[in-house]
Amino acid sequence: MLTICKSLARVFSVAVALFISVCAHADSWQEIEKQSAGQTVWFNAWGGDASANGYMQWVSEEVKKRYGITLNIVKVADAADVVKRIQSEAATGRTRKGSVDLMWVNGENFHTLKQGGLLETQWAETLPNWRYVDTNKPVREDFAVATEGAESPWGSAQLMFIATHSRLADAPGDLASLLALAKQHPGMLSYPRPPDFIGTAFLESLLLLRVNDPQVLTKAPDENFATVTAPLWDYLDKLHPLLWRKGQDFPVSAARMDRMLADGELLATLTFNPAHVTHLVKRQQLPPDAYAFGFTQGMPGNVHFVAIPVNSSAKPAAKMVANFLLSPEAQLRKADPAVWGDPTVLDPTKLTAAQQQQLDAFTAGAPDAIPVLPEPNAAWIPALEAEWTKRYGSR
């Protein structure tokens, strides 16, 4: 009897501790909500996509209406510029009232900020809407680097090609077929010039599919960099002379490639959003027979995040915005191809039946699932870009 009582006492004490923890968290979130009212958040985000910009305008209006938060969207061309600004502020001792309160970041830029101790940590999983997140997705690591609560996920992405059936009836399903297509149609393929992030993602896809042991990419490159990447450069040396302008020049962005595809200059473009093809068709920038495709072995994919710099002057409001971005309402709107079509990071099984049905409708007609290849450790990105520039960038 005594043993049973002790066991019940232990169970009761755990339950009480859990109850206290939940209540404390509720109280702390209520305090965050109270502090956030009237604050202004400067959200630095990539501004290269009209659909994403339109969505963020809606978010700005909603957090103002719901929480009294002013959300100013700073459209940037390259998140690396924001990283440099945060680093500069830290170097000059600006530990408070920084110019960035929230930022769209991942990969190499996150790695740089985290290494420098320039991000607020251990906050992401305290957001009330974290309970909806699909933790089977890589939401706790970013390019093989542990996030440690310094980033909150808000969307998924995967590199894909876009073409039209009328001009490319048989999509290449592997690297050998891509090379064969380039030989058959010289000058009609290309990719964005690295360090454009889609151009770099294309390099990653080639490396992931050509490397002898993909496991070596989960750690930072070492003295074996040349040996590991040799198959990549060998493939590019064969591919480049067959590309647009014989590989002596490259489009500046995927948006430029979209226009070149529409104008008949290219057979395919690249995107990090499989739903992007729907937008191009809806805007009548591509014909209805446009479609997305990828290599059957897989294409690199990731989760994109928002982060809070450690010197943010509006941390409570920044957390409120991040939490709203994770709400089913915001995630479903973002997943709507008519709005943006950015894939959700939420677990559909944690949504209501009506919400699941809505999400299913948004993904109907999407391209056949392509395996997602995990991206290399963030340290590979600058190394690949530097070597690519050395080999091909000065031509």
Side-chain angles (χ1 to χ4, degrees), residues 158-160 274 291-296 298-299 363-372:
Q158 186 176 20
L159 185 69
M160 300 288 280
Y291 67 101
F293 68 92
F295 297 134
T296 55
M299 299 289 280
T363 54
D368 292 339
I370 298 292
V372 176

Side-chain angles (χ1 to χ4, degrees), residues 110-111 114 139-151 377:
F110 166 69
H111 184 230
K114 184 171 182 271
V139 293
R140 291 188 171 110
E141 65 174 37
D142 189 347
F143 282 64
V145 176
T147 60
E148 297 180 324
E151 289 183 306
N377 182 284

